Amino acid sequence: MPSEPAYGSGPPQDKTNGMAIAAFVTGLLGCCGVVGAVLGVISLRQIGERGGKGRGLAIAGIVLSALWIVGGVIGYLVIPGSDSSSSATGPSGTPKPKTTKPKKIDAYTMKVGDCINDPVSSGAPAGESAPPVEVESVKKVPCTGPHDGEVLAVFKLTQAVMPDDQQMSRLASTGCRLRIQRRLDRDPARAHLGRSFYYPTADSWRDGDRTVTCLAVNAAEGKKLSRPIRG
């Protein structure tokens, strides 16, 4: 009598495991994260239980997926910090505030809103104008940091002939008082504010400069402003 068939899993399969193929393809693409590694582990388990080909493909899929994951982590950590021309970030990943370096500019090119450093322009008594200043250049700095003066007004002189020093000082002082004193009076720190101004030098007058620049300064000699005027 023929023997009864034995119970068991039967002869090993000769087909290549489909999960192994999927793991290898997914690992090559590298766009599915850990999917390739998961498919590779599943295919190895199936091959161990049922037999079949594809063990090498499954292992390759796991390795490739791991390489893609490691490469992505390294790229995330390294690449953002290597580009110094883009917005810099601090330790927590938050953008660092941009700082404006002091910039030397010609005095006659100052405009309303500029903040400058020039010790000669500071120290006006409260409610009075500072002594007149004649300089060729100043340093433009951020208004949110320490600065000697903030430009609040700019106007042109209309005289055909350059006034002498006394008349020039009077014209500049009167013109600046009319244009900026009301704004100074509206600032919460008005008691500590004074006025200063720049007017053309003899050389710049010959070149066509007729500009008087009016500034707010700290009324105490040697003291700086630390914020924009709020008036």
Side-chain angles (χ1 to χ4, degrees), residues 33-215:
V34 298
V35 175
V38 173
L39 293 176
V41 171
I42 294 175
S43 66
L44 288 177
R45 182 179 299 175
Q46 289 180 350
I47 291 172
E49 294 175 351
R50 306 173 189 173
K53 300 178 181 179
R55 183 179 181 83
L57 293 174
I59 295 174
I62 294 172
V63 172
L64 289 172
S65 295
L67 291 176
W68 278 108
I69 294 171
V70 172
V73 172
I74 293 175
Y76 177 80
L77 295 176
V78 174
I79 293 177
S82 65
D83 186 5
S84 59
S85 62
S86 60
S87 58
T89 57
S92 62
T94 56
K96 290 181 180 179
K98 294 183 178 180
T99 56
T100 305
K101 294 182 179 179
K103 179 182 178 183
K104 192 173 182 179
I105 61 173
D106 292 331
Y108 66 85
T109 64
M110 289 187 289
K111 55 185 181 297
V112 174
D114 286 347
C115 291
I116 59 101
N117 267 341
D118 177 18
V120 182
S121 67
S122 62
E128 300 178 13
S129 61
V133 292
E134 296 186 18
V135 296
E136 293 183 355
S137 63
V138 295
K139 286 185 178 179
K140 183 178 176 181
V141 297
C143 293
T144 52
H147 54 281
D148 292 319
E150 179 183 347
V151 179
L152 298 186
V154 176
F155 68 93
K156 298 282 188 180
L157 296 172
T158 59
Q159 284 72 14
V161 178
M162 182 177 181
D164 58 30
D165 288 343
Q166 185 176 1
Q167 186 181 7
M168 179 75 80
S169 179
R170 180 179 57 81
L171 290 171
S173 178
T174 302
C176 288
R177 184 179 68 251
L178 293 174
R179 288 168 173 82
I180 74 172
Q181 190 59 49
R182 184 176 298 178
R183 185 172 175 186
L184 294 179
D185 291 340
R186 291 197 299 263
D187 190 275
R190 57 186 175 274
H192 303 286
L193 297 176
R195 300 188 310 274
S196 186
F197 52 83
Y198 291 80
Y199 58 72
T201 64
D203 289 338
S204 67
W205 184 278
R206 285 193 293 269
D207 293 335
D209 178 22
R210 302 291 186 271
T211 303
V212 174
T213 305
C214 309
L215 296 90

